[in-house]
Amino acid sequence: MSFGQGGPPWGSGGQQPQQPQSHWGTQPGMPPAGAPGQPGTQTPDWAALAEASESRAKRRRLLMVGGGALATVAVAAVVAVAVVSANGSDDNKSAGVPPSGSVPGSTASQQPTFAETKPPPPPDPKDYISSADKDKAPLSAAGLFPGSKFTKGGAVYKKGATAETKACDSVTNGPLGALLKSNGCTTVLRATYEKDGVAITVGVAVFDTEKQATKVKDAYKKGTVKSLSGKGVPAFCNTTICRSTTNSYGRYAYFTVGGFTSGKDVTKKDKKVFTAGDDIAGLAFQQIHHRGETQASAAVQNP
């Protein structure tokens, strides 16, 4: 380094320290040449230059010491963070501490639990028409067979007369009356439907239990309910051959008798009579089942 020149830049801003002025030649305010303590020639002031050099060296050492201290603090901070981070994971693992979400007493472990519940199954409509103890809805021929007609597919059957009696054997032919009476029949409800000269009477025998109705159905061999005329339907199936059916559902056994209003005998070729008889038998089943549905629905709404 040449005397009289500033040293290299220091500090984070890259600024150079103030350069000392060189003392060459005569300067204003300085003793003239040849004065005591000053050479008579233009010789550099070595003492001043040495002092400036020493000042620069001292500042350099202070900057180096300061920078080193800052670096040491930064390294110490990094090491401290690393140690804390390492302790945060290793200590938990070594000590067997569960994650915060599973620590006993934590919010996550105190979430309420609810047992799985299922709504009860809906009542079976048949339960309500299988026993007089539950089958409490009003019962009548007009109520069981309402309206003035019955439509099945494209067929429309006009409803004729309805009737009901507690003397079950009085509205039957053949051995059917005795079968009903011996098994505890309480009522027989009848209704007649007619279409295109074919008339069908359906008779519903009512019992206290399903077992009684089923026994009648299984034991049935001969006999029919009496046909019911009136309300536009002439007498039929009194002296002619007619087709009859029987079945049961719940505490009800139901029967049909069908034939021609013209007095013609029914043969196996008369499909219209068979179809009409099956349609009206299906109506009886449908209406009995609907009775059970109505009472089951009421039980759900008013437990």
Side-chain angles (χ1 to χ4, degrees), residues 129-209:
I129 45 88
S130 294
S131 170
D133 293 337
K134 297 184 71 172
D135 190 6
K136 299 294 187 180
L139 181 61
S140 66
L144 191 62
F145 301 103
S148 59
K149 61 184 179 180
F150 166 61
T151 301
K152 175 69 180 292
V156 179
Y157 298 90
K158 180 183 68 174
K159 190 177 82 170
T162 60
E164 55 191 78
T165 182
K166 294 184 180 298
C168 300
D169 57 343
S170 66
V171 291
T172 64
N173 292 317
L176 178 59
L179 183 63
L180 296 180
K181 188 174 181 179
S182 65
N183 283 280
C185 174
T186 61
T187 307
V188 172
L189 312 172
R190 290 183 297 163
T192 296
Y193 290 86
E194 185 271 336
K195 177 182 180 297
D196 298 335
V198 174
I200 308 292
T201 292
V202 56
V204 178
V206 185
F207 300 85
D208 287 337
T209 67

Side-chain angles (χ1 to χ4, degrees), residues 107-285:
T107 302
S109 64
Q110 294 178 356
Q111 293 296 326
T113 58
F114 301 94
E116 182 180 0
T117 59
K118 294 182 179 180
D124 184 353
K126 189 180 178 183
D127 290 343
Y128 288 85
I129 45 88
S130 294
S131 170
D133 293 337
K134 297 184 71 172
D135 190 6
K136 299 294 187 180
L139 181 61
S140 66
L144 191 62
F145 301 103
S148 59
K149 61 184 179 180
F150 166 61
T151 301
K152 175 69 180 292
V156 179
Y157 298 90
K158 180 183 68 174
K159 190 177 82 170
T162 60
E164 55 191 78
T165 182
K166 294 184 180 298
C168 300
D169 57 343
S170 66
V171 291
T172 64
N173 292 317
L176 178 59
L179 183 63
L180 296 180
K181 188 174 181 179
S182 65
N183 283 280
C185 174
T186 61
T187 307
V188 172
L189 312 172
R190 290 183 297 163
T192 296
Y193 290 86
E194 185 271 336
K195 177 182 180 297
D196 298 335
V198 174
I200 308 292
T201 292
V202 56
V204 178
V206 185
F207 300 85
D208 287 337
T209 67
E210 180 180 12
K211 183 178 180 181
Q212 293 170 310
T214 301
K215 185 177 179 180
V216 167
K217 181 195 71 171
D218 293 342
Y220 170 80
K221 296 187 184 328
K222 292 182 180 181
T224 62
V225 293
K226 290 181 179 180
S227 62
L228 178 65
S229 59
K231 288 194 174 182
V233 180
F236 65 101
C237 291
N238 289 328
T239 58
T240 58
I241 298 174
C242 290
R243 187 217 181 202
S244 62
T245 68
T246 183
N247 211 331
S248 70
Y249 183 57
R251 69 185 186 112
Y252 302 89
Y254 52 97
F255 310 86
T256 65
V257 58
F260 295 104
T261 57
S262 63
K264 175 185 173 183
D265 289 338
V266 176
T267 68
K268 292 182 179 180
K269 295 180 180 179
D270 295 317
K271 299 301 180 182
K272 292 195 304 181
V273 176
F274 283 77
T275 298
D278 292 345
D279 286 348
I280 302 305
L283 171 64
F285 171 84

Side-chain angles (χ1 to χ4, degrees), residues 58-96:
K58 184 182 292 186
R59 283 198 298 271
R60 186 184 306 118
R61 286 194 300 271
L62 291 174
L63 290 173
M64 292 180 66
V65 170
L70 290 174
T72 302
V73 171
V75 171
V78 172
V79 171
V81 171
V83 170
V84 171
S85 177
N87 288 339
S89 58
D90 294 343
D91 289 349
N92 286 344
K93 292 181 180 178
S94 61

